[in-house]
Amino acid sequence: MAASSCIFCQIARSSTSTILLHQDHKVIAFQDINPSAFRHYLVIPIEHIPTVNDLHKRPEDYTLVSHMLNVGQTLLQRDAPQAKEYRFGFHQPPFNSIDHLHLHCLALPFIPRWRELKYSSLGPLGGFVEAGMLLERLKPSF
């Protein structure tokens, strides 16, 4: 998909009416249009990166994902401090819905409860990868 036709690229360029919860020089954050939890935000890089498979074990990718996670954690702690559990992660191909890297930031419970399945790891088949696990895979060797 060309970046010009990517809905997340359009949101990042402020070409839509999407309300931004956060914006800086690397990422933006906004509410998921089809929330699966009490609070469900997406944090995306402004640069078009298709999927987690396009990230590599290098400092810039590790720093980007770490920043995305930090933004998501800050937003949920601010907006849902009463939540007993948070979940942060990415869908891996072929389970991602949009080919633009996006971190799901969820303040649980899931609504409805069955949506928890969508945010579970499928082991070697992929599925959902927790942000911390992705950071471990991306951590550069020094």
Side-chain angles (χ1 to χ4, degrees), residues 1 6-8 42 49-51 95-102:
M1 171 184 298
C6 170
I7 186 63
F8 285 177
L42 301 176
I49 300 170
T51 72
F95 301 99
N96 56 311
S97 56
I98 295 178
D99 280 336
H100 187 121
L101 186 68
H102 52 286

Side-chain angles (χ1 to χ4, degrees), residues 9-120:
C9 286
Q10 292 172 24
I11 293 169
R13 290 191 309 267
S14 301
S15 301
T16 70
S17 60
T18 302
I19 297 169
L20 300 183
L21 303 170
H22 174 88
Q23 182 174 21
D24 63 35
H25 68 286
K26 287 185 177 186
V27 302
I28 63 167
F30 51 93
Q31 291 187 36
D32 191 296
I33 62 168
N34 189 18
S36 294
F38 169 64
R39 290 283 183 276
H40 187 170
Y41 300 155
L42 301 176
V43 179
I44 68 168
I46 293 171
E47 174 190 354
H48 183 83
I49 300 170
T51 72
V52 293
N53 292 346
D54 296 287
L55 299 172
H56 302 285
K57 199 172 195 160
R58 56 186 180 201
E60 56 268 31
D61 289 348
Y62 181 86
T63 300
L64 174 65
V65 173
S66 181
H67 179 62
M68 292 171 74
L69 178 58
N70 185 29
V71 167
Q73 289 171 330
T74 299
L75 289 171
L76 287 184
Q77 288 168 359
R78 179 193 75 193
D79 296 347
Q82 71 281 20
K84 293 190 181 358
E85 185 179 354
Y86 302 108
R87 190 166 297 172
F88 302 91
F90 302 84
H91 285 107
Q92 301 174 92
F95 301 99
N96 56 311
S97 56
I98 295 178
D99 280 336
H100 187 121
L101 186 68
H102 52 286
L103 172 66
H104 290 271
C105 306
L106 303 131
L108 304 183
F110 286 102
I111 302 171
R113 187 79 184 135
W114 61 264
R115 289 225 176 150
E116 180 175 8
L117 297 173
K118 188 175 174 184
Y119 300 92
S120 300

